[in-house]
Amino acid sequence: PASELREKYDDYEGLVDEINEAVGTTLGDAFQVAVGAEDPGGQPLANNKWINMVLQELYVRMSTVGVVIGISIAFVVLVLSTRNLLAASISVLSIACALVTVIGITVAMGWELGSSEAICLMTLTGFAVDYVVHLSHSYMESTSHSPLERTHDALRDMGISVFWGMLTSFVAALALASCQLQFLSKFGYFFLLTITFAYLWALLFLMPLLATVGPRSSPADGRAVPHTPYNSNTTRRKAVPDAIEVA
């Protein structure tokens, strides 16, 4: 791991500094290298561990920054689409859970963080937000009052569309994962895991959570809704005319 290599690198750098101070600058400054395995002839291979350490740290930094930026953009999109901070926050929590699940599975599979994995991690949020934004937006568009009724409306209106969208993406990811080119194959596996768990977290976590603590709309007649911890952030639904006069 890069963290262990960094500790050894700092120890050796301290030793090199001591040698340079003791010897002086007559022979030039000493420096260190760390090679990897040796070939059958006993010659070291061109595999500098310090370079690998720096690259590993770079991949971790790229992945972290990419995921944070992706989640931040997703939160802005969810706030604009739902116009509700509570619904947007719950949706982002669902996205984060899906990403943690995918990362945990890839670690359990023994994958190391490289350039391909870093690029895939930076794109995961864009795939995970798809189902969440559709269901949460449909929830907020419901004209029902209670969170449970709004959840039923969202699943009835958008559930089938989200399912078929997931299924078509799943089939496309299977085709991509079967490629012989390593980058395309890994991207396909990441895509496959992301859409699968993003759908499951959205359906089995987001929607039950919205049904329990989600925002509720104000009644059409304008009467105040009793304040509870679950409806502190409400939206007013449009009034529906009692009758439509036909000429």
Side-chain angles (χ1 to χ4, degrees), residues 2-34:
S3 59
E4 297 180 4
L5 285 177
R6 174 59 67 178
E7 294 178 0
K8 296 183 180 297
Y9 175 81
D10 293 337
D11 293 339
Y12 283 119
E13 278 295 297
L15 179 61
V16 169
D17 292 339
E18 293 178 2
I19 294 175
N20 288 330
E21 291 177 359
V23 175
T25 59
T26 305
L27 300 177
D29 291 336
F31 61 92
Q32 57 156 320
V33 294

Side-chain angles (χ1 to χ4, degrees), residues 138 141-142 150-162:
S138 181
E141 288 295 310
S142 172
R150 302 183 85 179
T151 302
H152 289 167
D153 293 341
L155 292 174
R156 183 187 65 246
D157 296 339
M158 290 300 300
I160 188 65
S161 300
V162 170

